[in-house]
Amino acid sequence: MKHTLAALLGATLLASPLAAQDKDLLIGSTSASSSHYGYFVAVGQLINENVEGLKASVVETGATLDNIRRMARGQIDLGLVTTNAVQHAVAGTNAFEGNPQDLRLLWVYTNAPQNVIVRADAGVDSLYDLADTRFNPGIKGGSTEATTEAVFKALGLVADYVRGSTTDIVGAIKDNRVAGYVKSGSGLKLDGSTMDIAVATDIKVLGLSPEQADKLRAEMPDISVVDIPLGAAEGIPAYSTWAFGVGVAAPSSMDEDTAYQIVAAIMADDSAQANAMASLKGADLAQMTLDYGTVQLHPGALRWFEEQGMEIPAKLKAD
């Protein structure tokens, strides 16, 4: 009997490490050439170091729309989203017409100005001049692409769209096969891929005219119009453009405690995220989430915000 008990105890001890294995968590990000990808690598490290029982891995994807579809298929557990696209997804509008997605917001980490970048030698001086010009509206399948097309439609603009990944388009602009592209900024600065282009060729940014800005404010309430001050990059003057928030969402089926612990780890960090994305230095992610969020917070995230005693907009609370 003693031998039997010892054998059972030994088997239990051997099995316990397997039973205690961390749960794998897949995070959908964006193109590895984007500064946002580095941010998500930092997020994964924060989760691994601060949330017991989880093992996070970052997956390179086609950004927002791709991430939303992957979450619906159960291929990733959480991922990068833009505040306008996730609103459309939850409401079942635009790209998700008649197919609403069951997603909840975890946090917003930056406001993303959409910069219209062109080669300085392309002969393009305004957004109207893009007509018949080979131009990339944003990474294929991403929210930048979808939003650019919606903005161009609202403003009556046209271009000869060229589709592709950020890596492909950056190469094409350098080789003068494409005149330019639309790329999310890094806060109030131009993105790393844009700066890479600027090393090879002179660039300029095409801003909105006052009339175009007013039209977008009236007709597209799901985006913001922002004024970018002098200094987005060396030699770039101040300009106006459209913008949306960039954050992280997860299916509502994510365990509440898991969501709570992830958000708590992100909000407690004071260096890793800023080291990965310089524009986040000194940023108040909690307030940014409340300011730019467009869909309900995940119950776990909502619990964290309520514990901080913050005033939460009604649109971020459960119905």
Side-chain angles (χ1 to χ4, degrees):
M1 182 66 174
K2 290 181 179 179
H3 291 297
T4 302
L5 288 173
L8 288 172
L9 179 59
T12 300
L13 291 173
L14 287 171
S16 59
L18 294 175
Q21 279 186 331
D22 289 345
K23 175 186 175 183
D24 289 331
L25 194 74
L26 292 180
I27 305 173
S29 57
T30 182
S31 167
S33 64
S34 169
S35 58
H36 290 262
Y37 181 85
Y39 172 78
F40 278 90
V41 171
V43 166
Q45 292 172 341
L46 284 171
I47 293 172
N48 290 336
E49 293 169 3
N50 297 284
V51 182
E52 186 176 353
L54 294 181
K55 181 181 179 182
S57 299
V58 178
V59 179
E60 181 181 9
T61 69
T64 293
L65 298 183
D66 188 23
N67 287 337
I68 291 173
R69 291 170 178 134
R70 289 183 187 227
M71 283 188 276
R73 295 193 294 262
Q75 295 174 338
I76 58 175
D77 299 288
L78 66 160
L80 175 153
V81 295
T82 57
T83 53
N84 57 339
V86 76
Q87 181 183 47
H88 297 156
V90 170
T93 57
N94 287 35
F96 300 91
E97 185 70 39
N99 184 30
Q101 303 295 301
D102 189 18
L103 296 174
R104 298 293 181 268
L105 183 66
L106 294 177
W107 75 93
V108 173
Y109 63 89
T110 191
N111 186 26
Q114 300 298 286
N115 298 309
V116 183
I117 311 295
V118 295
R119 292 176 58 102
D121 61 5
V124 177
D125 297 316
S126 73
L127 293 174
Y128 287 113
D129 292 339
L130 288 171
D132 300 321
T133 300
R134 286 174 58 79
F135 181 78
N136 172 249
I139 182 174
K140 187 174 182 179
S143 187
T144 290
E145 179 186 56
T147 306
T148 297
E149 292 187 15
V151 166
F152 275 36
K153 182 177 180 180
L155 297 178
L157 302 172
V158 294
D160 180 7
Y161 289 144
V162 178
R163 313 292 179 176
S165 69
T166 300
T167 301
D168 293 339
I169 296 302
V170 165
I173 295 172
K174 288 180 179 179
D175 296 342
N176 203 16
R177 291 177 285 119
V178 173
Y181 72 159
V182 180
K183 189 67 178 67
S184 293
S186 181
L188 299 179
K189 302 295 184 180
L190 299 185
D191 179 77
S193 68
T194 303
M195 298 311 298
D196 181 30
I197 295 171
V199 171
T201 184
D202 291 337
I203 62 169
K204 58 184 174 182
V205 180
L206 304 180
L208 295 167
S209 69
E211 296 75 20
Q212 289 170 333
D214 288 342
K215 189 173 182 64
L216 290 184
R217 290 188 185 100
E219 298 184 11
M220 295 188 66
D222 55 330
I223 60 173
S224 304
V225 173
V226 295
D227 297 320
I228 307 299
L230 173 73
E234 185 176 355
I236 301 297
Y239 59 96
S240 297
T241 192
W242 62 95
F244 44 75
V246 184
V248 182
S252 64
S253 57
M254 173 180 278
D255 175 76
E256 179 178 332
D257 193 55
T258 295
Y260 173 85
Q261 291 186 65
I262 290 173
V263 171
I266 294 301
M267 296 302 176
D269 169 59
D270 62 1
S271 60
Q273 295 168 90
N275 288 340
M277 184 175 280
S279 62
L280 299 188
K281 185 176 182 180
D284 186 342
L285 300 192
Q287 189 59 52
M288 196 179 298
T289 302
L290 301 182
D291 290 341
Y292 291 102
T294 56
V295 299
Q296 293 177 13
L297 288 165
H298 189 285
L302 180 62
R303 172 153 58 101
W304 184 88
F305 279 91
E306 289 177 337
E307 288 179 356
Q308 313 314 306
M310 303 184 74
E311 185 175 346
I312 304 168
K315 64 183 177 181
L316 302 187
K317 297 180 181 179
D319 294 331

